[in-house]
Amino acid sequence: MGSSPFPNTTSAGDDPEAAVFRHSPFGMGTIDGRLRFISANPALLRIFGAAGIDDLPPLEGIAFADDLAQALTGADRIASQPRELRIRRLDGSPVWCLLSIVELGRADAPFALHLVDIDERKRRELDLADRESRWNHALESAGQGVWDHDFAKGELFYSRQWKAIRGMAPDEEVDGTLETWIQNVHPDDRERVLLEIERQESAEAVFNVFSYRERHRDGHWVWIESRGAVVEYGPDGRPSRIAGTDTDITERRKAEERMAQLSRRLELALDISRIGVFESNLHDRTVTWDERIRQIYGKGAEPIGRTDWEEAIHPDDRAQASAVVQQAIASGTEYSQAFRIIRGEGEIRHIRSRGVTFIDADGVPRLVGANWDVSEDVLLQQELQHAKDLAEARSAALEEAQARLEYNALHDHLTQLPNRRYLDIALEERARRAGEAGTRLSILHIDLDRFKEINDTLGHSAGDGMLTHAARVLRAHMGPQDFVARIGGDEFVFLVCGPEKRNLGDLAERIVTAMREPVTFEGHVCRFGASIGIASAAGPSIDGRQLLINADLALYRAKNKGRSRHEFFTSEFQAQIIVSKKTADEIMASIEQRRFLPYYQPQFCARTLDVAGVETLARWDHPERGVLTPDAFLPIAEDINAVGAIDRQILERALFDLAAWDLQGVVVPKLSVNVSSRRLHDPDLCASLRALPLQAGRLSFELLESIFLDDCDPKVLECLAEIRKLGIDIEVDDFGTGHASIVSLMKLLPRRLKIDRQLVRPIVRSQAQRRLVGTIIEIGRSLDITVTAEGVETVAHVRLLQEMGCDLLQGFALARPMPALEIVDFVRSGRWRQASEAKAGLPDRMTRSV
């Protein structure tokens, strides 16, 4: 041992190397080629629990790791790189160490060994990894996705389950920037979600829980409940790290919605039927009544005691009613009975009651049931029975009963006003009488404003109260010969009759003012109004039904102009209707006569100013008014569902013109045709297109931005796919005026993108607008989409758009829309080039007339 380079003993004359070896806190020693220890310092002996070097077996006899033998087989395989492994102490216990072996190149001590005890640190690492694994498995099994935003380090972490909730692959990269992520949040939830994030990131809420909808990878919406907490704070006191979990609660929200719908239906059914529900705890004899049963019994908001029900029953019916209930409780069966109650100051009401006992989830016996007021039915039955019994002896009583039935048939049961049936009779009679007397008949068609809100928020009882109040207001404004009816819902009709002249506008305004007055219902102040349409007629022949239609049209106009007002049906209004009807008839006739024709506005290559295509624009060759633009006929055409036929006619004419230009040697590379949203829903569209002489790559359909946003409609997507198969390109028109996202643009991938003229026009004077248009051009270039700029009105526009790299130009600076016959001469003349060159040195204001 004395010849070892690291002796086991030391003396005053030891060299420094030997002293370091002996006193080092780390295990050090030397081994021979057969891995036997030649020397070992005290720290190494302590690690193995050995008293001396003779107690140490060869190194491979005390190693747990299988790879140690491979590492120590032959000197050429010994590496000086530290290796973590477990070794076996002499007592058999394992210990984690960091092992390094280096070759000394000496015959007496070929290898030096360095061993560091890392057992405590290694066990902590393994325990921490084990805990983390258990925690991750627990979160995964609970369906919770973990997210961790470390703003200080700029690190964003998303777990596998977080990605699975959104339909993402486990190894897929996540763009966690707020600007990108928020685009996947449902538009209705974005503002609220941004507010919640701001509350958390500003330390307003240390722990925050909120739910929202996010778009799944396959397109549907997923409800997510997000729980987040601040983990660390920065020097400025703001959160620097926020972590949390996301849970898919879609099914739970669906279940809640189904439950809410069921609850609303039940509540609506109970409101309509005016059935009150009660529940009694048979164990402690407590009773619960809902609002409807309180109204039936004339009770307010005071607590209901165990004896209130029996005390309200008529004394003559009390014993029998109580006995029926007790028998049902004792036998555990349901019951049904009728009895009378006494309300308030002695009012007697007839009640029907049904109930059944059951045991709730806690084992408590309960009685649940329903009561409803049948007083009117009972009274009617009594009257009919009485009339039947006295029919022969008292015919007057029978006539009275018949009159009562007739009254009920002709009157609204709530307001006691005449109903629609009575109005039809009265309107015919009053029109006839006014015609014979030469007087005027006027109709005020009245509709209550904000009635639905009161009905929805305070219940149908409040709505009934408002209708009753409205009826009282109308009665207060009736003249001696006037007639007022409730024709359904919140609509009333006021017939102004008689020889005297009445100021209908003043009458209507007084009714509107009276309706605005607040009404108190059960402590709630209710406010509503009324809109009134007025129609009037005079002469020997008055059509009452047409007069009512005219009043209804005037009411529609009053509501459209802001409500709580009145409007007259005038001759001008009638003329508008006549003109619209005449225009609709002319449109249908012109479709048959093929009087809808295309105009074309050329489109130019921005780089060379060569003609790159034409946009087809619809024109109506009106037989009397000449050539009309779409604003003169399109709204009415949409109302009569004629847009599809016009589109089809324009397309057929355009294809014919394209072929004619080819025959004349003028090649227009591309023909763009506008297609309406309704046309894309036409199931026969693709079949009709196949019958046309299409040239692949020369026809494109322009879709408004709002159409391609509706990509959730599978029929439209299928139609677009079929259109592409026919060799027809898809273009997006008016881009920038809607709400298209980059995601939806990438999903559609149109061949062209047309920037709306509202964005292009200001670029000459607005640097910000130039940046916006430039960004759209860059987006198109990055997606390999050709970009067309509309509204190119000046040479300055041309120059700027060329510099920005726009592909195509369209606008008055280069060419206006023209009929097919002018296209050939225009293309051959090249005069747009001359005009552009001539105007190149002029200020913009001098070139706008081109």
Side-chain angles (χ1 to χ4, degrees), residues 184-201:
N184 287 330
V185 175
H186 195 285
D188 295 344
D189 299 341
R190 287 176 187 169
E191 183 177 354
R192 177 172 52 81
V193 168
L194 290 173
L195 180 61
E196 295 292 347
I197 293 174
E198 174 60 25
R199 289 182 65 239
Q200 195 162 58
E201 293 185 353

Side-chain angles (χ1 to χ4, degrees), residues 19-32:
V20 170
F21 174 77
R22 183 169 183 81
H23 296 290
S24 172
F26 307 112
M28 301 177 64
T30 57
I31 56 175
D32 60 17

Side-chain angles (χ1 to χ4, degrees), residues 809-820:
L809 307 178
Q810 178 179 342
F812 289 174
L814 298 168
R816 292 177 175 270
M818 61 188 73

Side-chain angles (χ1 to χ4, degrees), residues 17-257:
E17 183 179 1
V20 170
F21 174 77
R22 183 169 183 81
H23 296 290
S24 172
F26 307 112
M28 301 177 64
T30 57
I31 56 175
D32 60 17
R34 292 184 292 175
L35 307 181
R36 293 180 302 180
F37 283 94
I38 301 172
S39 64
N41 71 348
L44 184 64
L45 295 176
R46 285 195 299 273
I47 292 175
F48 287 102
I53 192 169
D54 294 333
D55 296 334
L56 296 175
L59 183 59
E60 37 183 17
I62 57 176
F64 276 94
D66 294 337
D67 58 343
L68 178 64
Q70 297 178 4
L72 301 179
T73 301
D76 58 332
R77 293 193 179 181
I78 296 177
S80 61
Q81 294 298 326
R83 178 190 300 273
E84 288 186 358
L85 77 166
R86 287 188 304 162
I87 66 171
R88 183 184 293 108
R89 291 191 177 99
L90 295 183
D91 61 4
S93 62
V95 58
W96 279 98
C97 293
L98 187 66
L99 172 66
S100 297
I101 300 175
V102 296
E103 187 174 358
L104 298 177
R106 299 178 56 170
D108 57 338
F111 304 105
L113 176 143
H114 186 268
L115 201 63
V116 181
D117 185 345
I118 62 169
D119 190 69
E120 183 177 355
R121 175 179 65 80
K122 186 64 176 181
R123 291 182 185 276
R124 285 199 304 268
E125 290 179 358
L126 294 175
D127 181 61
L128 181 61
D130 186 54
R131 291 182 181 181
E132 182 178 1
S133 176
R134 288 198 299 271
W135 175 245
N136 287 334
H137 284 306
L139 289 176
E140 294 291 334
S141 62
Q144 293 183 333
V146 179
W147 53 271
D148 188 343
H149 293 175
D150 192 332
F151 303 123
K153 297 181 179 179
E155 296 178 354
L156 305 178
F157 168 76
Y158 304 94
S159 70
R160 293 165 58 92
Q161 185 62 24
W162 189 95
K163 297 177 182 178
I165 290 172
R166 294 155 173 83
M168 301 174 66
D171 57 350
E172 186 173 345
E173 291 293 330
V174 178
D175 185 349
T177 59
L178 180 62
E179 295 77 8
T180 300
W181 172 79
I182 198 65
Q183 297 302 320
N184 287 330
V185 175
H186 195 285
D188 295 344
D189 299 341
R190 287 176 187 169
E191 183 177 354
R192 177 172 52 81
V193 168
L194 290 173
L195 180 61
E196 295 292 347
I197 293 174
E198 174 60 25
R199 289 182 65 239
Q200 195 162 58
E201 293 185 353
S202 64
E204 180 182 344
V206 177
F207 179 78
N208 201 11
V209 180
F210 60 93
S211 58
Y212 65 95
R213 288 162 290 180
E214 187 171 339
R215 188 183 296 279
H216 191 272
R217 180 57 56 85
D218 63 12
H220 72 273
W221 293 106
V222 180
W223 272 101
I224 294 176
E225 182 178 76
S226 182
R227 294 174 176 268
V230 178
V231 178
E232 297 175 0
Y233 291 88
D236 59 355
R238 291 176 62 86
S240 62
R241 183 180 178 188
I242 303 175
T245 61
D246 285 358
T247 307
D248 185 343
I249 60 170
T250 304
E251 292 305 319
R252 188 180 82 191
R253 290 301 294 257
K254 288 181 180 178
E256 291 173 353
E257 181 61 25

Side-chain angles (χ1 to χ4, degrees), residues 499-521:
E500 69 275 16
K501 293 184 177 180
R502 304 272 290 279
N503 187 327
L504 300 179
D506 180 66
L507 172 62
E509 194 57 38
R510 284 189 283 113
I511 292 174
V512 169
T513 301
M515 292 293 190
R516 289 199 193 105
E517 293 296 325
V519 183
T520 302
F521 176 80

Side-chain angles (χ1 to χ4, degrees), residues 426-654:
L427 184 58
E428 182 178 355
E429 174 63 19
R430 301 297 174 93
R432 181 184 60 79
R433 283 161 44 187
E436 292 174 352
T439 57
R440 180 171 293 275
L441 177 63
S442 302
I443 295 180
L444 279 66
H445 192 174
I446 303 161
D447 185 86
L448 301 185
D449 300 326
R450 296 193 70 250
F451 172 79
K452 185 178 184 300
E453 287 85 344
I454 296 174
N455 212 33
D456 292 344
T457 55
L458 299 181
H460 292 282
S461 297
D464 291 347
M466 299 307 104
L467 292 173
T468 303
H469 171 76
R472 287 196 297 268
V473 170
L474 296 178
R475 284 194 182 97
H477 290 81
M478 288 178 62
Q481 299 184 44
D482 293 343
F483 180 93
V484 175
R486 179 191 174 200
I487 62 173
D490 58 346
E491 293 185 66
F492 300 82
V493 169
F494 196 122
L495 300 185
V496 179
C497 312
E500 69 275 16
K501 293 184 177 180
R502 304 272 290 279
N503 187 327
L504 300 179
D506 180 66
L507 172 62
E509 194 57 38
R510 284 189 283 113
I511 292 174
V512 169
T513 301
M515 292 293 190
R516 289 199 193 105
E517 293 296 325
V519 183
T520 302
F521 176 80
E522 297 183 351
H524 299 280
V525 177
C526 304
R527 297 179 182 274
F528 62 98
S531 298
I532 303 177
I534 307 171
S536 185
S541 179
I542 298 176
D543 187 343
R545 294 182 181 276
Q546 184 59 48
L547 194 61
L548 184 60
I549 292 172
N550 294 346
D552 182 63
L553 293 172
L555 172 62
Y556 179 80
R557 171 176 282 190
K559 281 187 168 294
N560 283 344
K561 287 190 175 182
R563 303 175 184 267
S564 290
R565 57 182 292 126
H566 68 273
E567 286 288 330
F568 284 86
F569 182 89
T570 62
S571 57
E572 177 185 357
F573 189 16
Q574 189 172 20
Q576 291 177 1
I577 296 174
I578 294 173
V579 168
S580 296
K581 176 65 168 59
K582 181 175 182 292
T583 302
D585 293 340
E586 290 174 345
I587 288 174
M588 298 306 295
S590 294
I591 291 175
E592 294 179 0
Q593 299 165 9
R594 303 187 67 81
R595 299 191 70 93
F596 288 94
L597 50 88
Y599 265 46
Y600 304 94
Q601 186 171 23
Q603 299 170 332
F604 302 87
C605 172
R607 184 173 54 84
T608 64
L609 289 185
D610 292 336
V611 174
V614 293
E615 179 185 3
T616 306
L617 306 171
R619 295 293 186 265
W620 182 13
D621 183 14
H622 194 279
E624 299 173 0
R625 299 161 60 191
V627 177
L628 303 179
T629 56
D631 56 350
F633 61 86
L634 192 57
I636 297 177
E638 289 177 343
D639 288 340
I640 62 175
N641 197 22
V643 175
I646 295 173
D647 283 352
R648 184 165 54 251
Q649 195 169 115
I650 293 296
L651 175 59
E652 292 173 357
R653 291 285 296 270

